[in-house]
Amino acid sequence: MSELRWDPLKLHWVIIATERGRRPRDFQSEPEPLPVTSCPFCYGNEDKTPPEIFAIRPSGMPNTPNWKVRVIPNKYPALRIEGELENRGHGPYDVMNGIGAHEVIIETPDHDKSMADLAPAELTDVLVTWRTRLLDLRRDFRFRYMILFKNHGARAGASLAHSHSQLIAVPMLPPVATTELKVCRTHYANKERCLFCDLITFELEQGVRVVREFSNFVTLAPYAASFPFELRLYPKRHSHDFALMNDAQLAELAVALKDMLMRVKLVLKDAPYNFILHTCPPMHKRPGKPAMWTSLEYDYHWHIELVPRLTSIAGFEWGTGFFINPTSPEDAALFLREAEV
Amino acid sequence: MSELRWDPLKLHWVIIATERGRRPRDFQSEPEPLPVTSCPFCYGNEDKTPPEIFAIRPSGMPNTPNWKVRVIPNKYPALRIEGELENRGHGPYDVMNGIGAHEVIIETPDHDKSMADLAPAELTDVLVTWRTRLLDLRRDFRFRYMILFKNHGARAGASLAHSHSQLIAVPMLPPVATTELKVCRTHYANKERCLFCDLITFELEQGVRVVREFSNFVTLAPYAASFPFELRLYPKRHSHDFALMNDAQLAELAVALKDMLMRVKLVLKDAPYNFILHTCPPMHKRPGKPAMWTSLEYDYHWHIELVPRLTSIAGFEWGTGFFINPTSPEDAALFLREAEV
């Protein structure tokens, strides 16, 4: 059973994933890329993964081929779904048992296609699957937040090359989400406007950091990007929850997401990247506990954040929480805007 | 001129190092290791670096060989020393010019020695140099904080193999330091005890996370380590400021630091690592501005934090601020404690 431990100096939780139990020699070598025949995410190898949770499959039985998108539990989960939450002190520390969910969304049966290569209709299936899984996990009152993310490339943390994203449900609100939600709430309380809407309006006026604008979405390089070629993809109209997007909206988002991934692939020569979906946390309350967040409809704004892994986080970044970005967001936007996709 | 930009959503400053101005192709390839003859940190190549700021050199002129430790300005500084601080708004954002200092401490003339290989007396010279440079930079009222750190190995961000550490002075307190100082202040206000002293006492009683104890120092794996084999080196007796250590204390610290680095080298097969010195910020106030921190003598406790770079920070960590550590601190301490150094 994993443990969540509270760092009393940095004020954050750490997941000690003892089931992975990695010893010194486990870190010595890079994992070998798997041949297609033994890839657990390919057709015919469905029995090499835990039984599927969800799939888009025009016909046929679960855990057989012919699916378009397939969702499975992570074989080596950071957090486990079984059990009750326990939250207790330990001397000067705090510890919680590692309850959560850790799912893998296999985005395509094609071993050699990256997410950028998927057709908009295929990408729409992936987005519909994200929405389905988010809505389902929100029904579990133990979970305070769901993080949907993708690691593309070994240097970005992908342990398997076959294109996939991941969904982790955690029993408490993570620090990044807490800060964002608090900042938005304060801004709304002061101004009765969404902070993200204000920033998007300013960016569309300025133009220099805009990479591509669609009818309902915009891709831009954030003003204070922590990393070179960092990007955000926003819905232009206010919307606090990705899971409320209808199929037509997801179809347009698929086009915008593909455009963003294609530009990154082209300009940065298929650099490794991470992207993260930031959406509002579930609004439910735990039985016997107060709700942490209610009525975020007005103050929060969902978005996708993409970070190409071009530089490494070194001593300065880890030790300070400051970031040094050697490419200005205006230059990054220019390079990406001019790419011919 | 670099710029410091405020991220209004994540509430941190980012250094946009426009002078480095890295374009897409600059990220394509790993830097080639330099041959010794052209290494700017080797004897005889002193003219390949900016003129030295400080050196421990038994005899001879500045910028000539025969030094033991040599300090130079970084040739590609993240922040520049010249100019006045300007802090202004820009639409919904905030921006400051990139004033600061960025120094490189060349720890040994020997190109092939890592820091772990240095004799305790050689390491003491490095520590004395750190103290000298910290005290000198504190005289500049523009700087709010100094971060002293080391990147060992290319994967940990070292761009040159020749052993060196870096010292960056920044015009505002970084988020990691702010949190730590606030937490310590609150703990002291409530309990009239140093939080670090409390944690060290508990750890020495428990023993399971202690790697090595010396008369006045202790190396341990923190209870909520964010990374596998993460370590802290603490003075056992309360001390808020590294720069107040006398020569005898630095000589004992050199032995403890070498012991920590040797264990990491041995057990993790010379894994890349970062370490960071956390010490109290300068206590001065800027002319015309209030002091940010005063009288930290009782609440803060300096220490060195070491993070081996065994795992990569991926989408989950960046997107949440949570960390997944696949090796428990108790296991890490056991492996390191049993290493025969």
Side-chain angles (χ1 to χ4, degrees):
Chain A
M1 171 68 77
S2 292
E3 268 185 5
L4 287 133
R5 296 185 181 185
W6 178 250
D7 186 323
L9 294 160
K10 298 187 195 289
L11 302 189
H12 64 196
W13 291 95
V14 174
I15 300 170
I16 308 286
T18 43
E19 292 187 35
R20 299 187 176 191
R22 294 184 69 181
R23 300 156 66 92
R25 65 170 172 274
D26 299 334
F27 296 106
Q28 306 311 335
S29 53
E30 295 286 319
E32 294 281 312
L34 280 179
V36 182
T37 47
S38 62
C39 170
F41 295 174
C42 277
Y43 277 173
N45 294 338
E46 284 77 6
D47 59 340
K48 290 192 174 134
T49 70
E52 72 193 35
I53 298 166
F54 175 84
I56 297 183
R57 181 188 279 107
S59 66
M61 295 289 288
N63 304 306
T64 62
N66 299 321
W67 45 270
K68 294 165 149 193
V69 181
R70 186 169 183 251
V71 183
I72 53 169
N74 192 309
K75 205 168 178 178
Y76 306 99
L79 300 164
R80 290 213 171 259
I81 197 103
E82 305 88 7
E84 290 297 310
L85 275 179
E86 284 172 44
N87 188 342
R88 59 187 191 281
H90 178 208
Y93 305 117
D94 302 274
V95 61
M96 212 188 277
N97 55 351
I99 300 289
H102 192 164
E103 303 184 353
V104 176
I105 298 111
I106 311 170
E107 294 157 344
T108 168
D110 192 331
H111 186 85
D112 296 316
K113 268 191 186 163
S114 78
M115 201 179 198
D117 303 324
L118 299 183
E122 293 172 311
L123 259 182
T124 306
D125 283 341
V126 174
L127 300 178
V128 167
T129 303
W130 289 0
R131 185 182 61 191
T132 306
R133 292 310 307 145
L134 275 172
L135 289 171
D136 186 46
L137 284 170
R138 284 187 192 168
R139 293 162 51 219
D140 193 321
F141 284 178
R142 297 171 305 170
F143 304 149
R144 292 279 201 208
Y145 195 72
M146 283 96 209
I147 168 102
L148 207 157
F149 64 98
K150 181 177 173 73
N151 302 333
H152 170 75
R155 271 204 299 144
S159 49
L160 288 170
H162 194 128
S163 191
H164 66 283
S165 37
Q166 298 180 65
L167 177 55
I168 297 186
V170 288
M172 78 286 298
L173 206 62
V176 169
T178 305
T179 302
E180 226 178 49
L181 290 166
K182 274 190 193 163
V183 164
C184 287
R185 177 132 295 182
T186 305
H187 190 87
Y188 190 84
N190 290 336
K191 308 185 182 177
E192 298 204 2
R193 297 193 313 264
C194 162
L195 172 57
F196 283 99
C197 285
D198 278 7
L199 299 181
I200 293 163
T201 303
F202 184 76
E203 290 302 338
L204 290 175
E205 281 166 18
Q206 296 265 309
V208 285
R209 285 174 291 274
V210 173
V211 172
R212 179 74 197 272
E213 197 180 342
F214 294 87
S215 302
N216 294 300
F217 295 94
V218 61
T219 303
L220 52 84
Y223 177 77
S226 297
F227 300 100
F229 296 89
E230 183 181 331
L231 293 173
R232 306 265 162 90
L233 172 48
Y234 290 109
K236 280 155 69 178
R237 246 172 285 165
H238 182 75
S239 167
H240 71 297
D241 188 0
F242 167 85
L244 294 180
M245 292 284 109
N246 64 32
D247 289 0
Q249 288 167 318
L250 291 186
E252 189 186 341
L253 174 60
V255 173
L257 180 60
K258 181 179 170 70
D259 178 82
M260 175 167 78
L261 298 178
M262 289 279 286
R263 287 174 195 276
V264 168
K265 184 176 178 176
L266 213 70
V267 172
L268 302 174
K269 313 283 178 225
D270 200 25
Y273 64 78
N274 304 119
F275 72 66
I276 307 107
L277 172 68
H278 293 243
T279 186
C280 72
M283 304 287 190
H284 61 239
K285 59 194 269 331
R286 283 185 195 146
K289 302 259 187 186
M292 289 188 88
W293 293 93
T294 51
S295 58
L296 286 160
E297 288 83 348
Y298 300 106
D299 26 298
Y300 195 63
H301 198 118
W302 74 264
H303 58 283
I304 293 171
E305 181 177 355
L306 183 140
V307 179
R309 286 279 156 231
L310 302 167
T311 52
S312 54
I313 293 181
F316 179 76
E317 288 79 4
W318 176 247
T320 59
F322 279 148
F323 291 85
I324 302 177
N325 179 352
T327 307
S328 81
E330 295 75 21
D331 284 351
L334 186 65
F335 280 116
L336 293 166
R337 193 163 55 232
E338 290 185 344
E340 291 184 28
V341 295
Chain B
M1 171 67 79
S2 292
E3 269 185 6
L4 287 131
R5 296 186 181 184
W6 178 249
D7 186 324
L9 295 160
K10 298 189 195 289
L11 303 188
H12 64 195
W13 291 95
V14 174
I15 301 170
I16 307 288
T18 43
E19 292 187 38
R20 299 188 175 189
R22 293 184 68 183
R23 299 157 65 91
R25 64 170 172 273
D26 299 333
F27 297 106
Q28 306 311 335
S29 53
E30 296 285 320
E32 293 281 312
L34 280 180
V36 183
T37 47
S38 62
C39 170
F41 295 175
C42 278
Y43 277 172
N45 293 338
E46 283 78 6
D47 61 339
K48 291 193 173 131
T49 70
E52 71 193 35
I53 298 166
F54 175 84
I56 297 183
R57 181 188 279 106
S59 65
M61 295 288 288
N63 304 307
T64 61
N66 299 322
W67 44 270
K68 293 165 149 193
V69 181
R70 185 167 184 254
V71 183
I72 53 168
N74 192 310
K75 205 167 177 179
Y76 307 100
L79 299 164
R80 291 214 171 256
I81 196 105
E82 304 87 7
E84 289 298 308
L85 275 178
E86 283 172 42
N87 188 343
R88 59 188 191 279
H90 177 208
Y93 305 118
D94 302 274
V95 62
M96 215 188 275
N97 55 351
I99 300 288
H102 191 164
E103 304 185 353
V104 176
I105 298 110
I106 311 170
E107 296 157 343
T108 168
D110 191 332
H111 186 85
D112 296 316
K113 268 192 186 165
S114 78
M115 201 179 197
D117 303 324
L118 297 184
E122 294 172 310
L123 259 181
T124 306
D125 283 341
V126 174
L127 299 180
V128 167
T129 304
W130 288 0
R131 186 182 61 192
T132 307
R133 292 310 307 144
L134 274 172
L135 288 171
D136 187 46
L137 284 170
R138 283 187 194 168
R139 292 162 50 219
D140 192 319
F141 284 176
R142 297 170 305 169
F143 304 149
R144 292 280 201 207
Y145 196 72
M146 283 96 209
I147 168 105
L148 207 157
F149 64 99
K150 181 178 173 72
N151 301 333
H152 170 76
R155 272 204 297 145
S159 50
L160 288 171
H162 193 128
S163 191
H164 65 283
S165 36
Q166 298 181 64
L167 177 55
I168 297 186
V170 288
M172 77 287 297
L173 206 63
V176 169
T178 306
T179 302
E180 228 177 48
L181 291 166
K182 275 188 192 165
V183 164
C184 287
R185 177 132 295 182
T186 305
H187 190 86
Y188 190 84
N190 290 335
K191 307 186 182 177
E192 297 203 3
R193 297 194 311 264
C194 162
L195 172 58
F196 283 99
C197 286
D198 278 8
L199 298 181
I200 293 163
T201 303
F202 184 76
E203 290 302 337
L204 289 175
E205 280 166 18
Q206 296 264 307
V208 286
R209 285 173 292 274
V210 173
V211 172
R212 179 77 197 271
E213 198 180 343
F214 294 87
S215 302
N216 293 301
F217 295 94
V218 61
T219 303
L220 52 84
Y223 177 76
S226 296
F227 299 100
F229 296 89
E230 183 181 332
L231 293 174
R232 306 263 161 91
L233 173 49
Y234 290 110
K236 278 154 72 179
R237 248 174 284 165
H238 182 74
S239 167
H240 72 298
D241 188 0
F242 168 84
L244 294 179
M245 293 284 108
N246 63 32
D247 289 359
Q249 288 168 318
L250 291 186
E252 189 186 340
L253 175 60
V255 173
L257 181 59
K258 181 179 169 72
D259 177 83
M260 176 166 79
L261 298 178
M262 289 279 286
R263 287 173 195 275
V264 168
K265 185 175 179 178
L266 212 71
V267 172
L268 301 175
K269 312 282 179 227
D270 200 23
Y273 64 77
N274 304 119
F275 73 64
I276 307 108
L277 172 68
H278 293 244
T279 187
C280 73
M283 303 285 190
H284 61 241
K285 59 194 269 331
R286 283 186 197 147
K289 301 261 185 183
M292 288 188 88
W293 293 94
T294 51
S295 59
L296 286 160
E297 288 82 347
Y298 301 107
D299 26 300
Y300 195 62
H301 198 116
W302 75 263
H303 58 281
I304 293 172
E305 181 177 354
L306 183 139
V307 180
R309 287 279 155 229
L310 301 167
T311 51
S312 54
I313 293 181
F316 179 76
E317 288 79 4
W318 176 248
T320 60
F322 279 149
F323 290 85
I324 302 176
N325 179 351
T327 306
S328 81
E330 295 75 20
D331 284 351
L334 185 66
F335 280 114
L336 293 167
R337 194 163 55 231
E338 291 185 344
E340 290 183 28
V341 294

